[in-house]
Amino acid sequence: MRLSLKDKLSYGVGAVCDNTMYMLAGTYLLLFLTTVAGVSPAIAGTISAIGSIWEALCAPVVGFKSDNAVTRFGKRKPFMLAAVIPVIVITTMLFTTIDASPAVKVIYYTIMVIGYWTCFSSFFVPYLTWGSEITDDYNDRTVLRSFAYIFNQVGMCVGMVLPPIIIKYFISAGKTTQQAWQIAAFIAGFLGAAALFTSAVSIKKDDVKNFVKPPKKKKQKSMVKTMAGVFKEYLQIIKLKPILVIIGASLAYLIANITFSSDRVFFMKFNMGLGESTISAVLLMITLASVATVPFISKLATKFEKKTVFAQVIGTCGALMIVTRFFGVDSFPMLIFVCILYAIANACYWQLMPSMIYDVCEVEELISGEKHSGAVISLQALSESLSIAAGVQMLGIILEMAGFNNEAAMQTELALTWVENSFVVIPGLAMVAVAVIMKFYPMTKDVFDRVKAALEKRENGEEVDLSEFKELF
């Protein structure tokens, strides 16, 4: 089914909440805990890590639960609506300073960060999955994700750019630093929740077909049975070649993404000697460049195969980033060039990767005989969390081994060398790896159309010969 402009806008606006929460915690949680809440850096880092691990555990459970939900409003919408109020409340509470002993603070913020990422997963997985169900058109899915990506950038501004402005304003208005942080968190949470609510209630297309109210409420499965069900589904899903390739490419790109994102401020500050305002301007430029790239990526992906565009754009950007290392990224124009390469690759990934995952959901349905879209997408979300953790850990080890000293105004030559390598070489190599991995991706528009035709035959009661789809195994 093709989507109207209203449907695309309605779906896209939900991405504001996704990136608002992600960027708010990713950018400011560690800073808030250490400089405002009074938690030691080591403990604050542990609390943040617990949040990442917890998110990875939540995604499969939410995917499984939403796949098996039975409501007149569909499988995904109830999860989004249920998260609206918690988004506001928990976001505010996480960035609230409490007057308590160090032990109580650790307990409080650990509980809050677990609640925060539980809330995030409870709407993110169903929201992302919903995109595969409101349209089954091969090209329309790419356009849908283009809208979502643009609103993602709005969410990044709400979660990353807006908080310092709000905090500065309220401090100048007479509020304490603690109060200003709380107000900023409330505003960010409110705006994110408003976007989520708008998306959920304005989309009229859903996955409800001839809803029949169950005769009686099913007994809730225990967590052990739920996890067993998740594990069983995952074992079936990872047997599919498209899934394995998608996860491999996703892992490679996200390692590139987190390495570049985490290292860029270090590089601009220590290697380039740029000030805070200039660094902020460069970060804003990356966001604007990503948004400007959206229509071009969308156009290319509708004209050529998604996998071809995905591999060539990201692979080319990665190769050019590696080349810049030989010339040296020691001038502002060269810095901007590298940042634009990253912006193009990033826009390509976040537009096309979810769209390709949506296509794989039909493959899984054809092979398994049942629809497990939530499980497919939660598996990919799980791989994202793990790759982010791996990328950050790798960067930390590299900088430590190179002798990087965060307290020193001047770094050693070896430290600066590896800061630059982590800025262009490591991300570049990972992006080139994406292109290599995608050569094994079997999905094309022709294969997708054959899969859809087979699903229609099965729905009409006809037999389907799975041996015709050997390339998918």
Side-chain angles (χ1 to χ4, degrees):
M1 66 189 82
R2 298 303 298 270
L3 295 178
S4 66
L5 177 61
K6 177 182 177 298
D7 291 326
K8 294 168 185 174
L9 287 169
S10 296
Y11 179 80
V13 74
V16 172
C17 190
D18 156 20
N19 226 21
T20 293
M21 292 188 71
Y22 193 85
M23 295 307 299
L24 183 66
T27 306
Y28 297 113
L29 181 57
L30 196 61
L31 178 67
F32 168 79
L33 290 175
T34 55
T35 65
V36 182
V39 179
S40 70
I43 297 297
T46 301
I47 292 173
S48 298
I50 289 172
S52 297
I53 295 171
W54 184 257
E55 181 198 355
L57 295 175
C58 283
V61 176
V62 174
F64 181 84
K65 288 290 188 181
S66 66
D67 275 342
N68 292 279
V70 181
T71 80
R72 65 176 67 256
F73 303 107
K75 296 176 180 293
R76 319 300 173 184
K77 183 182 291 190
F79 285 84
M80 294 170 64
L81 290 174
V84 170
I85 299 301
V87 165
I88 302 173
V89 175
I90 295 178
T91 299
T92 305
M93 293 179 68
L94 178 59
F95 288 88
T96 294
T97 305
I98 62 169
D99 184 12
S101 66
V104 173
K105 286 183 179 181
V106 170
I107 295 171
Y108 174 82
Y109 289 115
T110 300
I111 293 173
M112 287 301 106
V113 81
I114 287 174
Y116 187 86
W117 289 114
T118 300
C119 181
F120 177 85
S121 294
S122 69
F123 76 80
F124 175 68
V125 173
Y127 169 73
L128 192 59
T129 306
W130 205 8
S132 72
E133 296 168 335
I134 60 177
T135 179
D136 58 1
D137 184 83
Y138 186 78
N139 290 326
D140 224 17
R141 285 175 167 176
T142 301
V143 176
L144 184 69
R145 289 309 309 174
S146 298
F147 277 80
Y149 182 77
I150 291 173
F151 281 104
N152 255 156
Q153 301 313 294
V154 176
M156 186 173 74
C157 290
V158 173
M160 186 174 72
V161 179
L162 191 59
I165 298 173
I166 296 173
I167 292 168
K168 183 177 180 180
Y169 170 79
F170 279 101
I171 290 177
S172 65
K175 298 292 185 181
T176 65
T177 300
Q178 291 81 0
Q179 290 171 331
W181 273 90
Q182 187 179 45
I183 293 170
F186 170 80
I187 292 174
F190 178 82
L191 292 175
L196 186 63
F197 179 79
T198 300
S199 178
V201 300
S202 62
I203 299 176
K204 303 305 177 184
K205 295 179 180 292
D206 53 41
D207 50 21
V208 179
K209 294 181 180 179
N210 303 319
F211 172 77
V212 177
K213 186 177 181 180
K216 63 178 182 178
K217 187 176 181 180
K218 293 183 178 180
K219 185 178 180 181
Q220 293 292 318
K221 293 182 178 180
S222 68
M223 182 56 68
V224 173
K225 290 184 177 180
T226 296
M227 293 306 297
V230 170
F231 185 70
K232 181 180 179 181
E233 286 186 0
Y234 276 7
L235 285 179
Q236 295 174 339
I237 291 169
I238 60 176
K239 294 177 182 178
L240 304 178
K241 185 177 180 180
I243 294 286
L244 289 174
V245 175
I246 281 287
I247 291 176
S250 182
L251 285 169
Y253 177 78
L254 287 165
I255 287 175
N257 179 56
I258 195 63
T259 305
F260 180 90
S261 298
S262 300
D263 186 72
R264 59 191 174 188
V265 174
F266 288 96
F267 180 81
M268 286 187 278
K269 180 178 180 180
F270 294 101
N271 290 55
M272 300 290 295
L274 302 181
E276 296 296 331
S277 59
T278 305
I279 292 174
S280 296
V282 173
L283 294 178
L284 181 59
M285 182 277 298
I286 292 175
T287 301
L288 295 176
S290 295
V291 172
T293 304
V294 168
F296 298 102
I297 298 296
S298 181
K299 189 70 174 178
L300 286 172
T302 54
K303 187 175 182 180
F304 304 102
E305 290 291 348
K306 295 178 191 177
K307 71 170 188 176
T308 302
V309 175
F310 184 83
Q312 291 186 358
V313 170
I314 293 179
T316 300
C317 288
L320 289 174
M321 288 177 71
I322 295 171
V323 170
T324 63
R325 182 66 181 87
F326 295 98
F327 293 94
V329 187
D330 51 8
S331 66
F332 194 74
M334 187 65 82
L335 170 67
I336 296 301
F337 178 65
V338 170
C339 289
I340 289 175
L341 290 175
Y342 164 78
I344 293 171
N346 201 45
C348 184
Y349 176 85
W350 291 110
Q351 280 180 260
L352 298 186
M353 177 56 78
S355 178
M356 290 188 289
I357 294 170
Y358 290 165
D359 299 338
V360 171
C361 290
E362 268 80 11
V363 174
E364 191 278 332
E365 181 182 0
L366 175 66
I367 303 303
S368 70
E370 298 179 358
K371 196 174 184 66
H372 301 126
S373 300
V376 173
I377 289 172
S378 68
L379 179 60
Q380 202 276 333
L382 171 63
S383 70
E384 288 183 4
S385 299
L386 295 177
S387 62
I388 289 171
V392 172
Q393 186 68 63
M394 179 182 69
L395 179 60
I397 292 172
I398 288 173
L399 294 181
E400 183 174 343
M401 291 181 67
F404 183 86
N405 183 357
N406 193 39
E407 296 180 357
M410 297 291 293
Q411 301 296 328
T412 65
E413 190 64 33
L414 180 62
L416 293 177
T417 296
W418 279 100
V419 168
E420 185 171 357
N421 287 340
S422 300
F423 183 62
V424 289
V425 178
I426 295 174
L429 288 172
M431 289 181 188
V432 171
V434 170
V436 174
I437 293 170
M438 287 303 294
K439 288 184 177 294
F440 300 95
Y441 187 61
M443 290 294 291
T444 62
K445 189 176 187 306
D446 176 64
V447 174
F448 180 76
D449 289 339
R450 286 167 51 212
V451 169
K452 281 183 62 179
L455 287 172
E456 290 175 6
K457 284 178 62 177
R458 180 182 289 166
E459 191 173 336
N460 294 329
E462 301 177 47
E463 289 290 329
V464 174
D465 185 5
L466 294 181
S467 64
E468 298 177 0
F469 298 91
K470 292 182 179 178
E471 67 267 39
L472 303 179
F473 295 93

